[in-house]
Amino acid sequence: MKALVLSGGAGTRLRPITHTSAKQLVPVANKPVLFYGLEAIADAGISEVGIIVGDTADEIREAVGDGSRFGIEVTYIPQEAPLGLAHAVLIAQDFLGDDDFVMYLGDNFIVGGITGLVEEFRTERPDAQILLTKVPNPTSFGVAELGDDGRVVGLEEKPKQPKSDLALVGVYLFTPAIHEAVRSIEPSWRGELEITHAIQWLIDEKRDVRSTTISGYWKDTGNVTDMLEVNRSVLETLEPHDAGTVDEASEIIGRVRIEEGARVSGSRIVGPVIIGAGTVVDNAYIGPFTSVSEGCRIADSEIEYSIVLRGSSVTGVRRVEASLIGRDVEVTPAPRNPKAHRLMLGDHSKVQISS
């Protein structure tokens, strides 16, 4: 069995972060989201992995390499544009051959991994197996309709009038039957080859399409709110560890992980929190569910329920919360006089200002 991991999307909902970084590499608890998926694939006993890459191919290649650090062997498959999940299957056929495979969206996060699902699929071998979960906003997802016997009878992509609240999770398992399906469908109104249409083709052809409804934790980390929520979920499982330097004037409470070379002085940290290697925390408060990456500086400030990426600094700021701060960012207080806000913001930025 092989795996096909999709890492070619543009990440428009995470702009401006994704103007300069692949959305799959934005870290959760200081580890890229993509890495959690690759680890789950390796844990399921799958070693041959194809990664679909697009405009951020060089960054993905640099981060993942040949896959040996995860115990897998990676083949990179370029996609000229994000033309749909079924298009990814289409262009990966040479890699996939006649093998069964799991397709995993690189920006999705599933607590507990996929080992049980893969084992079930290997035993039963339906033509396709999809994961479903109940969501409050099904119009934003691909939605499945189940028959009285629990089998999948229909799928719709982002329906205006959903027939259920069961959304497709970004993990799919297929036999080679899917290759005929992706060759048999036409692009949707979005100009994409939709995987929901390909699975619907299998259903219409009376092929065996099954579903598993999961009650565990799943998130599509496509926006800031979901990124912060996934970060919170991962930090809930954090094991305390101190490889840095903490002075006597500091107070460390709860599950806090301080990486090698980090220095904490005159500060209060309330976990779960992770502090990256080489980061300096001075006269600051860092509150629960905060991840601070390597080489950062947090000084004379308060920050909580946030993600701070590599090389950034937050100094002299009274309070920061529910924020995603990119790489090499400087956050400082505005001058008192004149009372004005001075901003340099990229496209699609969102800013909240207390006036």
Side-chain angles (χ1 to χ4, degrees), residues 3-9 50-53 77-96 101 103-105 172 174 178-179 182 185 192-195 198:
L4 185 65
V5 178
L6 275 61
S7 297
I51 300 183
I52 301 289
V53 291
I77 304 167
Q79 187 181 34
E80 60 194 46
L83 298 174
L85 305 188
H87 180 262
V89 175
L90 193 66
I91 64 173
Q93 186 165 1
D94 286 346
F95 164 75
L96 295 169
F101 67 98
M103 183 168 74
Y104 197 115
L105 273 59
Y172 309 79
F174 297 114
I178 193 65
H179 296 303
V182 299
I185 60 174
E192 298 184 3
L193 290 176
E194 311 284 0
I195 198 65

Side-chain angles (χ1 to χ4, degrees), residues 194-271:
E194 311 284 0
I195 198 65
T196 48
H197 292 178
I199 299 171
Q200 184 66 53
W201 185 92
L202 291 173
I203 295 170
D204 295 341
E205 292 293 315
K206 310 301 182 186
R207 307 301 289 263
D208 188 3
V209 177
R210 303 184 190 181
S211 68
T212 300
T213 301
I214 62 172
S215 56
Y217 189 84
W218 164 77
K219 279 290 182 182
D220 169 4
T221 60
N223 59 51
V224 173
T225 300
D226 287 341
M227 285 292 304
L228 293 173
E229 177 60 18
V230 171
N231 189 63
R232 181 201 64 77
S233 177
V234 175
L235 288 178
E236 288 276 23
T237 66
L238 189 71
E239 292 294 330
H241 177 72
D242 184 3
T245 303
V246 180
D247 73 358
E248 293 182 357
S250 296
E251 185 178 15
I252 308 297
I253 301 172
R255 298 189 307 280
V256 176
R257 183 177 184 88
I258 302 174
E259 301 288 2
E260 187 174 353
R263 292 184 289 115
V264 179
S265 59
S267 298
R268 187 168 187 255
I269 302 177
V270 180

Side-chain angles (χ1 to χ4, degrees), residues 106-317:
D107 59 353
N108 275 226
F109 185 90
I110 300 174
V111 169
I114 60 172
T115 299
L117 180 73
V118 169
E119 289 175 351
E120 178 186 350
F121 182 81
R122 280 174 164 152
T123 301
E124 302 291 335
R125 285 202 77 230
D127 293 299
Q129 186 161 350
I130 58 177
L131 263 67
L132 304 174
T133 191
K134 291 189 176 183
V135 294
N137 54 334
T139 55
S140 300
F141 300 92
V143 173
E145 180 185 2
L146 303 183
D148 294 337
D149 60 356
R151 290 186 177 266
V152 184
V153 297
L155 296 171
E156 282 188 278
E157 187 66 34
K158 297 182 174 63
K160 293 182 179 179
Q161 310 238 321
K163 295 179 181 178
S164 81
D165 60 353
L166 293 171
L168 276 77
V169 175
V171 177
Y172 309 79
L173 295 106
F174 297 114
T175 67
I178 193 65
H179 296 303
E180 184 181 0
V182 299
R183 290 194 301 267
S184 301
I185 60 174
E186 297 293 332
S188 67
W189 62 270
R190 301 193 299 173
E192 298 184 3
L193 290 176
E194 311 284 0
I195 198 65
T196 48
H197 292 178
I199 299 171
Q200 184 66 53
W201 185 92
L202 291 173
I203 295 170
D204 295 341
E205 292 293 315
K206 310 301 182 186
R207 307 301 289 263
D208 188 3
V209 177
R210 303 184 190 181
S211 68
T212 300
T213 301
I214 62 172
S215 56
Y217 189 84
W218 164 77
K219 279 290 182 182
D220 169 4
T221 60
N223 59 51
V224 173
T225 300
D226 287 341
M227 285 292 304
L228 293 173
E229 177 60 18
V230 171
N231 189 63
R232 181 201 64 77
S233 177
V234 175
L235 288 178
E236 288 276 23
T237 66
L238 189 71
E239 292 294 330
H241 177 72
D242 184 3
T245 303
V246 180
D247 73 358
E248 293 182 357
S250 296
E251 185 178 15
I252 308 297
I253 301 172
R255 298 189 307 280
V256 176
R257 183 177 184 88
I258 302 174
E259 301 288 2
E260 187 174 353
R263 292 184 289 115
V264 179
S265 59
S267 298
R268 187 168 187 255
I269 302 177
V270 180
V273 165
I274 184 168
I275 306 296
T279 283
V280 174
V281 180
D282 181 35
N283 192 33
Y285 166 76
I286 299 181
F289 309 119
T290 302
S291 295
V292 182
S293 195
E294 68 270 17
C296 294
R297 178 177 174 81
I298 311 294
D300 302 309
S301 302
E302 298 181 5
I303 186 166
E304 186 169 310
Y305 193 66
S306 295
I307 299 173
V308 183
L309 274 59
R310 185 186 68 231
S312 291
S313 64
V314 180
T315 57
V317 180

Side-chain angles (χ1 to χ4, degrees), residues 343 345 349-353:
L343 308 173
L345 304 173
S349 294
K350 292 184 180 180
V351 176
Q352 292 181 326
I353 295 175

